[in-house]
C-alpha cells in the first residue's frame, strides 16, 4: 500500500498561514508607527520578512490589506460573560476594553483609522460596520440579559445604552489618553448601571390631557 502526498495544481500559489500572520502583524506595527497615509507595501514586506509578491498574492492593494484587517477585528467574538448581574457583566467588559485600549497598537491605530475614515469612504464603511456589529452584540447580549433579569426596563434604548457603556472608557483612554486604573472599574460600572436605569428608556409618548371646555363646565354649573 502506497501513500501519495497531494500536491497543489501546477502554477497555483500555496498561501502559507504563518506568512499571512507575519504580514498582518507587520501591518499593525507599521500602522502604529507611521499611520495609514505613510503605510507602504514595501515597508510591510520588509518588516514581515517576505517579498512584495507574497503580499500581492493575498491583497490587491494597501487599502484591501487594511480593510481586511478591520473586518477581521470586527468579526472577533466579544467576551460578554454572564456573571448573573448587569454590574458584574459590565465590570468584566470594562476590564477587557481598558486592557485592549491600553495596548500601544490600539491606542495609535484606532484614532488614525478614524481620521482616515473622514477622507476614505471605504474605510469609513468598514469601521461603521464594525461599530454596528459591536453595538448590536452588546445590546443583544449584555443589555438583553439585564432586561430578562428585570434589572432594566424592556423599553431601554439599547443603542443609547451601548453608547453610555462604551463612550466613557473610549473617551478617557483613546481621546484624553488618561489611564483607567483597575480599582476605578467597579465605581465606573456602578455609575453606568445607575445611568442606564434612568437615561436609556425609549421615547416617551406624549400624553394629551383631556379636560372639559371651560364654557361647557360653566354652563353645567348654571343649569
Amino acid at each position: 500500500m502506497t501513500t501519495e502526498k497531494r500536491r497543489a495544481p501546477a502554477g497555483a500559489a500555496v498561501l502559507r498561514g504563518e506568512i499571512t500572520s507575519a504580514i498582518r502583524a507587520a501591518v499593525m506595527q507599521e500602522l502604529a508607527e507611521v499611520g495609514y497615509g505613510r503605510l507602504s507595501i514595501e515597508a510591510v514586506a520588509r518588516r514581515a520578512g517576505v517579498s512584495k509578491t507574497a503580499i500581492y498574492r493575498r491583497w490587491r492593494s494597501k487599502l484591501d490589506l487594511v480593510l481586511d484587517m478591520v473586518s477581521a477585528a470586527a468579526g472577533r467574538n466579544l467576551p460578554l460573560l454572564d456573571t448573573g448581574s448587569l454590574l458584574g457583566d459590565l465590570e468584566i467588559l470594562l476590564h477587557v476594553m481598558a486592557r485592549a485600549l491600553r495596548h500601544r497598537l490600539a491606542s495609535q491605530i484606532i484614532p488614525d483609522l478614524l481620521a482616515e475614515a473622514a477622507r476614505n469612504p471605504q474605510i469609513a464603511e468598514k469601521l461603521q460596520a464594525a461599530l454596528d456589529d459591536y453595538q448590536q452584540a452588546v445590546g443583544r447580549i449584555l443589555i438583553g440579559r439585564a432586561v430578562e433579569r428585570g434589572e432594566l426596563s424592556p423599553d431601554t434604548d439599547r443603542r443609547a445604552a451601548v453608547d453610555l457603556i462604551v463612550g466613557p472608557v473610549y473617551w478617557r483612554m483613546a481621546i484624553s489618553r488618561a489611564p483607567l486604573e483597575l480599582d476605578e472599574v467597579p465605581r465606573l460600572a456602578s455609575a453606568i448601571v445607575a445611568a442606564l436605569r434612568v437615561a436609556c428608556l425609549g421615547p416617551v409618548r406624549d400624553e394629551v390631557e383631556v379636560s372639559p371646555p371651560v364654557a361647557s363646565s360653566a354652563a353645567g354649573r348654571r343649569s
Side-chain angles (χ1 to χ4, degrees):
M1 180 176 179
T2 59
T3 302
E4 296 183 359
K5 294 182 179 180
R6 293 185 178 180
R7 295 182 179 180
V14 179
L15 302 182
R16 293 164 52 189
E18 65 270 21
I19 292 179
T20 302
S21 298
I23 294 171
R24 291 183 187 277
V27 172
M28 294 286 285
Q29 295 287 342
E30 284 293 314
L31 279 174
E33 288 191 11
V34 303
Y36 178 82
R38 295 172 57 197
L39 180 75
S40 69
I41 295 295
E42 290 80 4
V44 171
R46 185 166 53 250
R47 185 183 289 273
V50 302
S51 66
K52 291 193 296 181
T53 303
I55 297 177
Y56 284 120
R57 282 178 184 151
R58 293 162 172 80
W59 300 278
R60 292 177 301 176
S61 65
K62 175 178 80 170
L63 178 60
D64 287 335
L65 178 54
V66 173
L67 291 180
D68 180 64
M69 186 191 71
V70 172
S71 297
R76 291 174 185 166
N77 293 327
L78 293 171
L80 299 174
L81 302 179
D82 187 352
T83 65
S85 71
L86 175 59
L87 180 60
D89 292 353
L90 275 178
E91 287 189 16
I92 288 181
L93 180 60
L94 295 181
H95 275 298
V96 171
M97 287 180 57
R99 185 168 63 248
L101 290 172
R102 277 198 303 270
H103 196 287
R104 182 178 65 89
L105 298 182
S107 65
Q108 292 174 280
I109 290 173
I110 292 175
D112 180 68
L113 286 180
L114 288 174
E116 190 64 33
R119 300 183 289 270
N120 191 314
Q122 289 178 285
I123 291 181
E125 183 180 353
K126 286 290 184 181
L127 288 176
Q128 186 61 51
L131 177 61
D132 287 344
D133 288 344
Y134 184 87
Q135 287 182 315
Q136 289 174 15
V138 174
R140 183 181 68 256
I141 300 173
L142 192 146
I143 301 301
R145 283 198 301 245
V147 171
E148 290 175 0
R149 297 187 196 109
E151 296 174 289
L152 293 176
S153 166
D155 294 329
T156 297
D157 183 336
R158 299 190 182 191
R159 190 177 187 89
V162 175
D163 288 342
L164 188 55
I165 292 169
V166 177
V169 180
Y170 182 78
W171 176 267
R172 179 165 177 173
M173 300 189 68
I175 306 300
S176 299
R177 302 297 180 96
L180 178 65
E181 304 299 337
L182 294 180
D183 58 356
E184 295 181 89
V185 170
R187 185 171 70 250
L188 178 59
S190 297
I192 291 174
V193 169
L196 287 174
R197 288 173 176 160
V198 298
C200 292
L201 294 180
V204 178
R205 298 178 182 178
D206 293 332
E207 295 183 0
V208 179
E209 183 177 348
V210 179
S211 57
V214 175
S216 298
S217 299
R221 286 195 298 269
R222 288 196 301 268
S223 59

